[in-house]
Amino acid sequence: MQACAGTIRLNTPKQLDDASERALIDRCRRSDVEAFGRFIDAYQNRVFGFIRRMVPIQDEAEDLTQEVFIRAFQHFANFDGRCSVKTWLFRIANNLCIDRARRLDRIPAHADYYPSADEDEAIEIADVRWEPEKVALDSELVALVEHGISTMSDKLRGVLLLHDREDMAYEEIATTLNIPVGTVKSRLFLARAHLQNVLSEYLKQEARPV
Amino acid sequence: MKRKDNNPELDALLRTQTQQAIQKAVRSLPEENLSLAWRSSLNERLRAAKPEPRWKARLKGTWRPALGLALASCLAVTLTLRNPISHPVVANSNLEASLVATYDDTANSETVAGPGLAIHEVNDTTSNTDSSSDWSESDLNSL
């Protein structure tokens, strides 16, 4: 397997500390486009990464990401500061994704190949020798992880992305999605179990002699 | 509701090696990058989009409850006017007089007939006595 192709985005120079975020919030409330641009710089890729995995079509995901920032800019006067700007942006993003899914009554792509995972379904956790040290993200595995994410339900996917991808705390996710913390935890467990099943198939095939 | 928030078993399951490995795999996915064209398009849209003024945002937060209150008030007024509440009308002077009269009657009836009799029963008794005195002398002689 090749070396890991992924990049970890945390602590990038674009990250905002609390003090500078507060100062920017005050400026944004006065409709300062330049200050709002700093928020865009800080969060555009993360918001897009979330939306891209919730919305399968690239162009649509890009449009929806723009819509998130436009709505945030237009309604910044309503931002009460009880949560972080990041949490607020992800809440707007999640709501827009839900609205879109309701509108289209979307069916996950390739659902016939991999069964979709939902909260109500009993997930069978594969009993294979799971060896985390073997998990290096080559392009094939990246594609498989992405596929596993795309085949789970929106509810599970949202929690998985916010926790494992965006490093949000359980409470923060609960606030973003407006669900109890216990539900966040159970959804996260089910989402990871679904992904484990998908990846276990891959590892089994890898181990099989040709 | 905190019914499921603290679940040690679930917390332990989430900390297992397998679950942590999945987390690591998801976290290590490549970052999605947006193009400069996307950003300039967003800047254009932001310039065109007018932010909602603060007063409008505040108004928006208050007009809905205010409208609800106004509608409820209108409904209450309409219902009141359609079905006026009928209060018993009692003249104050009559009330006092009737209370005193009732008390006097009760006291008199107790004096005349003893306790446990109502005033009309006392009157009836009187009327019976009166009717018995209607007998004339001739009637008595005829017996």
Side-chain angles (χ1 to χ4, degrees):
Chain A
M1 285 184 186
Q2 286 181 337
C4 176
T7 51
I8 295 177
R9 315 151 319 290
L10 303 175
N11 302 319
T12 58
K14 287 176 182 176
Q15 289 288 304
L16 299 167
D17 58 48
D18 284 351
S20 56
E21 182 164 313
R22 272 197 298 274
L24 284 176
I25 288 170
D26 286 341
R27 288 173 61 190
C28 286
R29 284 193 175 126
R30 295 193 295 271
S31 309
D32 186 333
V33 183
E34 194 189 329
F36 190 72
R38 295 279 304 280
F39 280 124
I40 300 174
D41 290 339
Y43 297 120
Q44 67 173 35
N45 287 343
R46 302 177 73 163
V47 172
F48 177 62
F50 176 78
I51 292 177
R52 179 71 187 87
R53 290 178 175 93
M54 300 293 280
V55 175
I57 303 161
Q58 172 91 11
D59 288 348
E60 218 174 319
E62 287 183 3
D63 283 349
L64 221 52
T65 309
Q66 285 194 351
E67 192 62 35
V68 169
F69 287 106
I70 288 166
R71 287 204 184 185
F73 181 66
Q74 285 180 321
H75 299 97
F76 221 100
N78 291 345
F79 177 66
D80 54 13
R82 278 185 291 183
C83 62
S84 67
V85 173
K86 178 183 141 192
T87 305
W88 187 53
L89 288 173
F90 275 99
R91 192 190 300 163
I92 296 171
N94 186 63
N95 288 343
L96 285 175
C97 289
I98 290 171
D99 288 348
R100 180 195 167 277
R102 279 181 188 156
R103 227 174 24 243
L104 300 179
D105 195 20
R106 186 172 60 86
I107 300 162
H110 309 296
D112 53 338
Y113 184 62
Y114 287 105
S116 73
D118 204 345
E119 265 184 303
D120 303 330
E121 290 177 25
I123 291 183
E124 189 186 328
I125 299 167
D127 184 20
V128 295
R129 298 288 173 265
W130 176 262
E131 297 173 48
E133 63 275 12
K134 283 188 180 174
V135 179
L137 292 187
D138 60 13
S139 57
E140 195 181 351
L141 192 54
V142 166
L144 203 60
V145 173
E146 293 281 12
H147 184 75
I149 291 172
S150 73
T151 52
M152 63 180 71
S153 74
D154 286 348
K155 288 176 182 175
L156 300 189
R157 192 186 309 134
V159 172
L160 181 84
L161 292 173
L162 292 177
H163 188 273
D164 289 354
R165 186 94 185 123
E166 299 303 330
D167 274 330
M168 279 192 183
Y170 294 132
E171 291 76 15
E172 223 177 341
I173 298 170
T175 307
T176 305
L177 303 180
N178 201 22
I179 52 174
V181 173
T183 308
V184 172
K185 288 179 184 175
S186 58
R187 283 184 188 178
L188 179 63
F189 174 76
L190 293 172
R192 284 176 180 169
H194 171 74
L195 216 48
Q196 185 191 343
N197 274 342
V198 174
L199 295 180
S200 298
E201 290 297 319
Y202 168 80
L203 291 178
K204 269 189 213 168
Q205 284 169 12
E206 283 277 295
R208 201 173 293 153
V210 181
Chain B
M1 291 171 96
K2 295 206 168 188
R3 56 197 156 81
K4 279 168 69 184
D5 289 1
N6 288 320
N7 187 338
E9 285 177 21
L10 189 55
D11 287 338
L13 282 171
L14 287 167
R15 281 195 298 269
T16 57
Q17 202 182 9
T18 309
Q19 291 264 319
Q20 295 295 316
I22 297 287
Q23 178 179 20
K24 197 176 165 189
V26 174
R27 190 175 291 176
S28 302
L29 287 172
E31 185 178 358
E32 301 277 346
N33 284 307
L34 286 157
S35 63
L36 287 172
W38 177 89
R39 181 59 196 273
S40 58
S41 158
L42 174 62
N43 285 343
E44 275 178 30
R45 287 182 71 183
L46 280 175
R47 262 182 246 118
K50 286 181 183 173
E52 195 175 46
R54 215 167 181 173
W55 64 267
K56 204 173 174 184
R58 281 184 188 163
L59 192 69
K60 218 173 181 178
T62 51
W63 77 265
R64 283 184 194 192
L67 184 68
L69 200 63
L71 282 173
S73 306
C74 286
L75 191 67
V77 168
T78 311
L79 286 174
T80 311
L81 290 176
R82 280 184 125 187
N83 307 313
I85 301 163
S86 57
H87 296 288
V89 182
V90 179
N92 287 336
S93 56
N94 288 345
L95 176 67
E96 192 179 343
S98 66
L99 282 172
V100 170
T102 308
Y103 171 76
D104 285 345
D105 286 344
T106 312
N108 289 338
S109 66
E110 277 187 19
T111 309
V112 174
L117 279 179
I119 191 67
H120 67 273
E121 291 172 316
V122 175
N123 287 339
D124 286 347
T125 314
T126 315
S127 65
N128 287 341
T129 314
D130 290 343
S131 67
S132 64
S133 63
D134 283 343
W135 290 87
S136 62
E137 285 292 323
S138 57
D139 293 330
L140 287 170
N141 291 333
S142 67
L143 287 174

